[in-house]
Amino acid sequence: MNEFNNRIDAQRRILSLVNSRPWREELYGLSVAAIERWIHANGLDPRSALTATIYASADKLFFLANKSQEQITEEYRLLASEVRRLGDSLAALLQSSYPV
Amino acid sequence: MMHIYAFGSVCRGEVDNGSDVDLLACVDEAAPELDHRKYSIYRYPRLRALWAEGNPFAWHLHLEARLIFSGDGSDFLREIGAPQPYVAVESDYAKFQDLFMQSWDELERGANSATFHLSCMFLALRNFATCHSLAQGQPIFSRRSPLLVVPRLPMSAEVFSTLTRARLLSTRGHGDRLTVEDIRAVLKAAAVVPPWMNTLRSLHERI
């Protein structure tokens, strides 16, 4: 699979993890605006470890989440291992704070 | 040295509640003072490389960007002229068709994050149509490019607008949440997409 689709996959995995919990409103994307909306809609603490980890994931993937005009470039390298590590942290945080 | 350009919907007059102003900053060194959430930040050599490969984004900027600040009075993008011809359409077709099929599959099997999957379906359709139009020599960078190419995507404007709403929710956190009925309507209409994509691909092959 090409780098572009790999980056979408990385984003999909993060969202799938977060949205595996019954929020009042799902997290719709990893743009800062979408994360802020999700925090507000669910009454979450914007300084919690969970939201900080989601912001960190978004930061790695900001080019994908926020800037539609760049979707058709291969401008950035996917920081795959870092995004995976953040995904693992996210899974652990969700399990401890919002167990299924 | 720095140049700042506006591009995107504001330059096309496609302004509505969900519109944002897309800003490009051309810089010659790291620019920590620029917020990367507000600017697409590119160094000059990278822009020259995009021009040299005939990248769709280079064409987009070439045809649409408007200078709003120049550190030295010059217009960098105007001075580097037209990008090389766009030649990567085959791989771009495949890339965006894959994205559409995978997102549709996720949606159909009822996975969570439905709005995100719909947003990716929009992205795939829009980029597919834009790349096709560019390869045909009649570039369309509008968000509605799938409805403006020939043949147009045979999908109602209403269903397409659901996909657009999903994209705006996903990127700009803006808009009313989608309903189960909205999602069902897209699922019902999505089957028109693969034949339409194949038609555009075959049109290109004939050229």
Side-chain angles (χ1 to χ4, degrees), chain B residues 31-172:
Chain B
E33 73 277 15
L34 290 175
D35 183 344
H36 66 226
R37 290 172 297 180
K38 292 183 182 155
Y39 292 88
S40 298
I41 304 167
Y42 284 78
R43 294 187 191 214
Y44 295 103
R46 181 60 184 137
L47 286 165
R48 289 184 190 282
L50 290 174
W51 252 245
E53 71 185 50
N55 188 286
F57 187 49
W59 276 102
H60 187 170
L61 293 174
H62 172 66
L63 295 170
E64 199 175 83
R66 300 284 178 270
L67 180 68
I68 54 178
F69 171 78
S70 170
D72 64 357
S74 69
D75 184 340
F76 172 71
L77 295 186
R78 181 179 289 268
E79 284 168 13
I80 59 176
Q84 289 298 304
Y86 170 50
V87 292
V89 68
E90 302 285 357
S91 61
D92 284 341
Y93 279 143
K95 180 162 66 181
F96 298 126
Q97 194 156 5
D98 282 353
L99 174 60
F100 184 87
M101 298 308 287
Q102 184 162 6
S103 304
W104 182 20
D105 185 56
E106 295 277 344
L107 192 69
E108 214 164 34
R109 67 185 183 80
N112 66 35
S113 314
T115 298
F116 177 72
H117 303 318
L118 291 166
S119 161
C120 290
M121 290 162 78
F122 169 85
L123 176 63
L125 288 169
R126 184 256 178 100
N127 286 2
F128 190 99
T130 293
C131 287
H132 175 76
S133 69
L134 183 56
Q136 300 292 108
Q138 294 176 314
I140 302 169
F141 297 108
S142 164
R143 282 200 295 262
R144 299 177 67 251
S145 60
L147 305 181
L148 300 174
V149 293
V150 179
R152 59 165 273 168
L153 174 67
M155 178 181 275
S156 72
E158 190 183 0
V159 171
F160 189 75
S161 99
T162 298
L163 297 175
T164 309
R165 284 170 57 206
R167 183 68 188 161
L168 293 175
L169 282 164
S170 179
T171 55
R172 293 173 187 171

Side-chain angles (χ1 to χ4, degrees), chain A residues 1-2 4-5 8-9 11-12 15-21 24-34 36-37 41 55 59 62 64-76, chain B residues 7-8 22 36-42 46 50 55-57 60 95-96 98-99 102-103 106 112-117 120 123 126-127 130-131 167 169-177:
Chain A
M1 194 181 282
N2 62 59
F4 174 88
N5 292 39
I8 299 260
D9 272 356
Q11 196 174 179
R12 187 184 291 121
L15 289 170
S16 173
L17 264 176
V18 174
N19 290 332
S20 65
R21 300 303 191 272
R24 275 200 291 272
E25 185 176 283
E26 278 194 344
L27 178 58
Y28 294 139
L30 288 181
S31 65
V32 170
E36 284 171 352
R37 176 183 172 127
Y55 274 124
D59 199 44
F62 81 89
L64 186 62
N66 240 5
K67 299 290 182 185
S68 62
Q69 303 303 331
E70 289 156 64
Q71 309 283 328
I72 48 180
T73 78
E74 301 292 353
E75 174 62 10
Y76 299 93
Chain B
F7 66 102
D22 293 302
H36 66 226
R37 290 172 297 180
K38 292 183 182 155
Y39 292 88
S40 298
I41 304 167
Y42 284 78
R46 181 60 184 137
L50 290 174
N55 188 286
F57 187 49
H60 187 170
K95 180 162 66 181
F96 298 126
D98 282 353
L99 174 60
Q102 184 162 6
S103 304
E106 295 277 344
N112 66 35
S113 314
T115 298
F116 177 72
H117 303 318
C120 290
L123 176 63
R126 184 256 178 100
N127 286 2
T130 293
C131 287
R167 183 68 188 161
L169 282 164
S170 179
T171 55
R172 293 173 187 171
H174 173 87
D176 294 332
R177 67 174 77 175

